[in-house]
Each structure stands twice: as C-alpha cells, then as structure tokens.
Amino acid sequence: MKQFVTTLNQKYTFSSCASCEANCCDGRKGTIYAQIILSDFEGVYENYPILFLFGELGYIKPVILLTNGKDFCRFLEDSKCSIYDKRSSICKNYPLSSHIDNNIYIDTLCPAVNDESENKIEIINNSTFRENFHDNSLNNYQDKYIEMFEELSPYGDKKDFSIVKIINGIEFYKCNKDIDNKYMQMHQNSLEHLQNEYFIDLD
C-alpha cells in the first residue's frame, strides 16, 4: 500500500532502492494505475495502456495501467526496471507525487524514506525538492492538469466509451470513436498492450 502525505513544512530524506523488494511496482500492494498529463502521453503509450477513469462529475481522467493488480509490473526483472530510461514520469518521481493543489506529496511507506541509512540524502524540504531527483512534471502541476482537462474534455462523452478492464473494482475505459486528436490517437495505439498475456489473464 501507499500513504502519500503533503511535504508542506516538512523535510524528508531518501536512501536507495537497493534493499527494497520493489514495493512500488507491486500490483498486490496497490500499484495499479497512475493519472497522467499531456506531457506524459508520448513517453508512455509505447509501453503502457493509456485508459480513462470517469470522475464523480463525469469528467474523463487519463491514466496508465501500471500493473494487472495481482503481479509486479511486467517490466520488472530481478527487482530492476527493464525500461528504466523509458519509464513513466510517475516512476521517475516516486516516492514524490504532484497534486492539483500544487503541493508535493511523498509516500511515507516507501522503505527508503526517512530510513537510518548513512547514504540518505535530503530530497525535499517544505515542498522544495532536490535538483535532479525528479521529473519536470512535478512543476506547476495545477496548470498542466487544467491544460489536460481543456484538451480532452471535448471528447469525454461517456456514451463514446466502454469498459475495457475492471481491476479490484476499478472500471477502466477506452474510447470507441476515431478522434482526430494526437492524444486520443496515442490512447488508441496504446490499447495493443492489453493484448499482452499479462493483461489478458485478467479476463
């Protein structure tokens, strides 16, 4: 499981992933999907299915399916990421995470956060993060979220979508229309990943 808390007025250290059992890549521990913004699409669609959730107000939210909910990420080999240079910004930023309130959050259940290692470094202090520890998607997240909403909301009529996967009670949708929008086209192209046996076994 994960437990993200605000870093406002707090400081946190991080040591290393070396001794971790890849908890953040484990579908059994709650790693199933992550919401993405427009700048993420091009970097993830070649490796992950881009799907959609529908929020309480009926708005679509683009997400990537990180695991099938019952196994480790399919790109994990010997506790290491086999697509490390092409991993998603969500993975690059972890244990940090951005939020629409423009604060930075941290997963305090990550074993490397605030541990007793001699090699630990301070990664964030009062929502100011250490240079080179993060992906630029953490910066000005609120503006990027609004940009994503404005770009995709015209295509968010629920009647044009259908449920493609249900994982741990969460309904993931695909768009059934051919839409002339580069982000929706990357969504369509990414659906081929659902044909991988890693996801087919869910059916």
Side-chain angles (χ1 to χ4, degrees):
M1 301 299 291
K2 294 180 172 62
Q3 181 174 285
F4 283 95
V5 301
T6 182
T7 60
L8 194 63
N9 299 320
Q10 301 292 327
K11 66 179 179 180
Y12 292 91
T13 62
F14 183 87
S15 56
S16 169
C17 298
S19 61
C20 179
E21 298 179 345
N23 292 341
C24 58
C25 307
D26 192 345
R28 300 167 302 175
K29 296 183 178 179
T31 298
I32 300 174
Y33 72 93
Q35 188 163 326
I36 59 175
I37 53 179
L38 297 181
S39 59
D40 291 316
F41 272 69
E42 189 168 359
V44 300
Y45 85 97
E46 292 182 352
N47 291 312
Y48 303 93
I50 298 174
L51 302 175
F52 295 96
L53 301 179
F54 278 89
E56 294 180 0
L57 299 178
Y59 301 128
I60 59 171
K61 299 179 181 180
V63 301
I64 52 172
L65 206 52
L66 294 169
T67 76
N68 59 17
K70 62 181 182 180
D71 296 303
F72 283 99
C73 171
R74 65 192 180 108
F75 298 114
L76 193 70
E77 297 178 3
D78 298 325
S79 295
K80 298 183 183 299
C81 180
S82 63
I83 58 166
Y84 189 80
D85 292 334
K86 294 184 177 180
R87 70 197 190 283
S88 70
S89 65
I90 291 89
C91 300
K92 293 175 183 177
N93 292 334
Y94 185 82
L96 302 178
S97 177
S98 49
H99 193 271
I100 195 170
D101 63 9
N102 260 352
N103 287 322
I104 305 300
Y105 287 69
I106 191 167
D107 181 10
T108 55
L109 295 185
C110 170
V113 170
N114 283 357
D115 68 2
E116 299 302 318
S117 170
E118 295 181 358
N119 299 320
K120 63 185 177 183
I121 59 173
E122 184 177 292
I123 58 167
I124 193 161
N125 190 337
N126 192 22
S127 291
T128 300
F129 32 75
R130 181 184 180 93
E131 187 177 358
N132 298 328
F133 188 84
H134 67 288
D135 179 88
N136 287 331
S137 62
L138 287 177
N139 297 314
N140 303 315
Y141 184 79
Q142 187 178 82
D143 291 341
K144 294 172 182 176
Y145 185 92
I146 293 171
E147 178 189 24
M148 178 272 295
F149 172 79
E150 291 177 344
E151 177 75 25
L152 299 182
S153 60
Y155 314 112
D157 191 331
K158 198 169 184 177
K159 68 179 177 58
D160 296 327
F161 291 74
S162 61
I163 296 173
V164 65
K165 292 289 178 187
I166 300 177
I167 303 177
N168 295 353
I170 304 170
E171 296 177 344
F172 296 93
Y173 289 79
K174 69 174 181 176
C175 182
N176 297 317
K177 290 185 66 176
D178 185 14
I179 295 174
D180 185 20
N181 172 277
K182 67 178 182 179
Y183 300 106
M184 296 302 287
Q185 289 174 356
M186 282 187 271
H187 153 65
Q188 293 287 349
N189 291 337
S190 77
L191 295 176
E192 66 181 26
H193 301 301
L194 294 177
Q195 302 307 311
N196 186 286
E197 62 181 8
Y198 176 85
F199 293 112
I200 289 179
D201 288 346
L202 292 175
D203 299 329

